[in-house]
Amino acid sequence: MAERRLLLLGLVLLAASAAFLLWNLRGPVGFILTLRATKLAALLLVGLAVGVATVLFQTVAQNRLLTPGIVGFDALFVTLQTGLVLGLGGLGLAQLPALGRFAMEVLLLVLAAQALFGLLLRKGADDVIRMILTGVILGVMLRGVAGLMQRLLDPSEFSVVQQAVFASFGAVDRGLLLIAAGLLAMAMLAALRMASELDVAGLGRVPARTLGLDHDRVVRRSLALVSALVAVSTALVGPVTFLGLIAASLAHALMQTHRHAVLLPAAGLLGALFLVTGQFLFERVLGLQSTLAVLIEFFGGLLFLALILSRRRQ
Amino acid sequence: MIEIRNVSLSLRGSAILHDITAGLPQTGITALIGPNGAGKSSLLHLCAGLLRPSGGVIAVDGGDVTRMAHRDRARRIAVLTQAQALGSRLTVGDLVGFGRWPHHLGRPREADRQVVAEALALFDLETLSGRQVETLSGGQKARAFTAMAWAQSTPWLLLDEPLAALDPRFARDLMARLHAMSQTGPQARGVVIVVHDLNAAALWADHVVALRDGRLFADGPAAEVLTPATLGALFDTAFGTVDTPRGRLVYPA
């Protein structure tokens, strides 16, 4: 049942990808195809990673509304970018080799994410309210710090920050994409291999422990994977964690199962589907008149509301 | 045999258990009784390896329970805790199926499905097996979680207040079933329960361990511990007895 829906989802994604590649293909075909294929690869990769990361995060946090973004990860990224521009200068940052900058950002983000999630979820989530509050307050504080630093920048450097903190799939470096693909694929495979343990962890800390699961170890590992997934995808294209909430909620609603062997790929496929269709509409229909983030939050938000309301009726 | 040797426990600075030494036999039902806050549940959690003693050792069938590998422990000891909350949306059948996880680690075989079917039948859950756990009543939920612990097929079954939410019929059925499975035989399981219903203990338990203020108060065969004198001192209130066709019952006078 759930497997069939998963297959169907895969086919829909395939169709969307094909449309993205081949729609209105004119002019120098080879050149345009390469350009589109690179962009498509980035969209698929980031969508998959964010979907998988959010399901992992929600399972160990025992909460279906939390995402790494909500507990402060995006704010962390903005602060980090602003700090980099302030510290190195817009020019200094631009002069860094792409790979070096990417590696540095990934490293800093992984470390910061580990610290953030560790602080919030060290022992599983026995106190969700405390965790959300801590995350939100940390987020506000980080945004405040970033805001202050942005006041100190001159306008041209400020525009460098502005570019960095909005997700963009327009100019992804192909070499970085390859490296990111390797890292993300490894992390996603590791998550899939833990699927059965995650099913048990999803029961809650006490039931999981009575069933012989080393719950604390599963939480630690999952958070390490979440950190890696969101850090790499954010360093690659900018903050996209808003996508995760939609992908994970929809995966739960569509698949109607507790099994992570289904939920993880479903959330990943949905994340990718959202990004690909969003970018398609954004480029071809809206003529680049908005940003992808706005589009996805708009349609995703509508979908999310519909889901919540329809569940209440049942 | 569960051997509790000089066990003490402190949680966040407050002392819960002091220097408890007792042996819980493999055959028969052991009932843990005592006033509220005596430390019964804590002792049960210690025996299940869910808590770590601050001092002393708990050995289950000769092995220190805190040193067992997680999976080995789950195949030796099943425990029903009082907190029956779930993080995921599950059907009753799925929940009971999780009892087999320590055996199959995510790849259920035919034998596992058989045990789950047996558990559902035994706890009268067959008609409920497709229902979401969160839509069940308290008593039905308690039966589903007990069935999950039973499906773990462990030599030890530890239950924290399994009767609290059950109606008289299911309470009696459960005690009768626990009694039957705890007697000698190749399938015999050691059963330890925390109960407040002293008459459930009087009718079905073979062995009683009484705790008070975190200390061992009495320990022995049920008939020797469940006397008006011992119970009166344990609960600070007078007790009487009455003989019925089912056996001798006790009541607070």
Side-chain angles (χ1 to χ4, degrees):
Chain A
M1 250 315 246
E3 274 83 355
R4 253 195 27 218
R5 270 173 282 183
L6 194 61
L7 194 68
L8 205 66
L9 200 58
L11 291 176
V12 174
L13 179 61
L14 213 60
S17 307
F20 185 85
L21 275 181
L22 305 174
W23 184 272
N24 225 349
L25 195 59
R26 271 183 311 218
V29 171
F31 174 73
I32 293 183
L33 266 185
T34 326
L35 212 63
R36 286 187 184 177
T38 312
K39 203 182 278 181
L40 179 67
L43 290 165
L44 291 176
L45 206 57
V46 170
L48 281 168
V50 172
V52 169
T54 309
V55 169
L56 272 179
F57 189 76
Q58 292 185 345
T59 294
V60 295
Q62 293 276 295
N63 186 297
R64 289 280 176 78
L65 292 173
L66 285 183
T67 67
I70 290 174
V71 300
F73 180 78
D74 289 355
L76 202 67
F77 176 75
V78 174
T79 314
L80 188 73
Q81 284 295 340
T82 316
L84 279 179
V85 173
L86 190 68
L88 299 175
L91 202 62
L93 205 58
Q95 279 168 347
L96 280 181
L99 182 63
R101 182 176 174 188
F102 179 72
M104 181 176 70
E105 282 184 16
V106 167
L107 198 69
L108 285 174
L109 281 175
V110 166
L111 291 178
Q114 274 290 305
L116 176 70
F117 303 153
L119 181 73
L120 298 177
L121 284 169
R122 202 170 25 234
K123 287 240 162 196
D126 26 331
D127 190 349
V128 175
I129 299 294
R130 188 195 67 116
M131 180 174 75
I132 296 177
L133 276 178
T134 317
V136 168
I137 290 171
L138 267 177
V140 170
M141 193 188 80
L142 286 171
R143 273 180 218 286
V145 171
L148 177 69
M149 289 196 291
Q150 284 168 5
R151 296 273 188 291
L152 300 176
L153 293 174
D154 68 51
S156 68
E157 290 189 329
F158 181 69
S159 74
V160 175
V161 174
Q162 281 290 302
Q163 255 173 22
V165 299
F166 283 105
S168 148
F169 293 84
V172 177
D173 184 296
R174 228 171 294 165
L176 294 186
L177 188 62
L178 219 58
I179 295 171
L183 292 173
L184 293 177
M186 274 197 301
M188 286 190 278
L189 279 180
L192 264 184
R193 285 189 48 177
M194 286 171 55
S196 166
E197 295 183 350
L198 289 166
D199 295 347
V200 179
L203 298 177
R205 185 160 191 269
V206 172
R209 292 185 67 209
T210 68
L211 291 175
L213 185 78
D214 189 344
H215 186 262
D216 296 346
R217 199 195 62 180
V218 171
V219 170
R220 272 199 312 274
R221 272 202 196 173
S222 304
L223 290 180
L225 290 177
V226 172
S227 306
L229 287 168
V230 292
V232 172
S233 30
T234 306
L236 190 66
V237 298
V240 277
T241 46
F242 55 84
L243 179 70
L245 182 64
I246 305 162
S249 314
L250 259 185
H252 280 291
L254 289 178
M255 295 299 146
Q256 295 286 344
T257 176
H258 62 276
R259 283 166 43 228
H260 286 77
V262 173
L263 284 173
L264 290 172
L269 292 176
L270 283 163
L273 186 62
F274 263 105
L275 280 186
V276 173
T277 38
Q279 184 77 15
F280 181 79
L281 290 176
F282 168 54
E283 283 183 12
R284 318 290 158 80
V285 181
L286 295 178
L288 302 170
Q289 282 308 305
S290 173
T291 73
L292 181 57
V294 171
L295 210 65
I296 288 183
E297 283 185 34
F298 180 69
F299 287 110
L302 281 183
L303 204 64
F304 191 58
L305 274 179
L307 271 178
I308 290 177
L309 293 176
S310 75
R311 184 174 303 168
R312 247 209 346 231
R313 262 207 308 278
Q314 275 170 16
Chain B
M1 180 88 170
I2 296 182
E3 293 160 81
I4 302 165
R5 288 195 291 262
N6 308 106
V7 164
S8 52
L9 175 72
S10 306
L11 289 177
R12 294 192 181 115
S14 50
I16 310 286
L17 295 172
H18 310 268
D19 195 25
I20 291 187
T21 298
L24 314 180
Q26 167 89 57
T27 310
I29 295 181
T30 301
L32 288 178
I33 64 168
N36 296 135
K40 308 180 291 294
S41 294
S42 300
L43 188 60
L44 197 79
H45 280 72
L46 284 169
C47 291
L50 294 177
L51 286 174
R52 203 168 262 278
S54 319
V57 173
I58 294 187
V60 177
D61 299 334
D64 183 342
V65 74
T66 58
R67 288 169 192 270
M68 284 184 195
H70 291 261
R71 188 180 174 201
D72 294 343
R73 200 188 63 219
R75 288 195 289 190
R76 182 162 296 279
I77 310 159
V79 56
L80 171 77
T81 58
Q82 277 186 60
Q84 288 155 8
L86 278 182
S88 13
R89 282 161 54 91
L90 290 180
T91 63
V92 174
D94 287 335
L95 177 71
V96 177
F98 269 112
R100 300 301 300 166
W101 194 81
H103 300 273
H104 62 58
L105 296 181
R107 291 195 180 77
R109 283 183 294 259
E110 193 44 44
D112 296 309
R113 288 189 195 97
Q114 262 173 31
V115 175
V116 173
E118 258 177 75
L120 289 171
L122 204 57
F123 290 88
D124 211 1
L125 294 165
E126 281 162 313
T127 52
L128 297 175
S129 78
R131 278 265 293 276
Q132 295 285 328
V133 174
E134 62 208 65
T135 66
L136 299 180
S137 76
Q140 292 169 329
K141 208 181 266 183
R143 269 153 56 207
F145 276 87
T146 313
M148 167 170 128
W150 183 87
Q152 253 175 280
S153 312
T154 48
W156 287 95
L157 190 54
L158 276 45
L159 308 169
D160 196 352
E161 298 202 26
L163 304 179
L166 299 185
D167 67 30
R169 179 190 138 208
F170 281 118
R172 184 208 50 207
D173 286 358
L174 177 63
M175 289 311 292
R177 198 165 295 129
L178 293 175
H179 181 75
M181 74 172 73
S182 68
Q183 299 309 305
T184 47
Q187 299 286 312
R189 306 196 196 178
V191 175
V192 183
I193 58 171
V194 173
V195 281
H196 278 298
D197 180 352
L198 294 173
N199 286 320
L203 291 176
W204 299 105
D206 303 276
H207 195 80
V208 172
V209 173
L211 297 182
R212 184 183 157 128
D213 296 332
R215 291 173 209 281
L216 187 70
F217 188 81
D219 174 16
E224 287 175 23
V225 178
L226 297 173
T227 59
T230 311
L231 291 176
L234 177 63
F235 290 101
D236 275 333
T237 184
F239 273 84
T241 63
V242 54
D243 287 306
T244 73
R246 285 284 292 110
R248 172 170 292 187
L249 303 184
V250 295
Y251 61 91

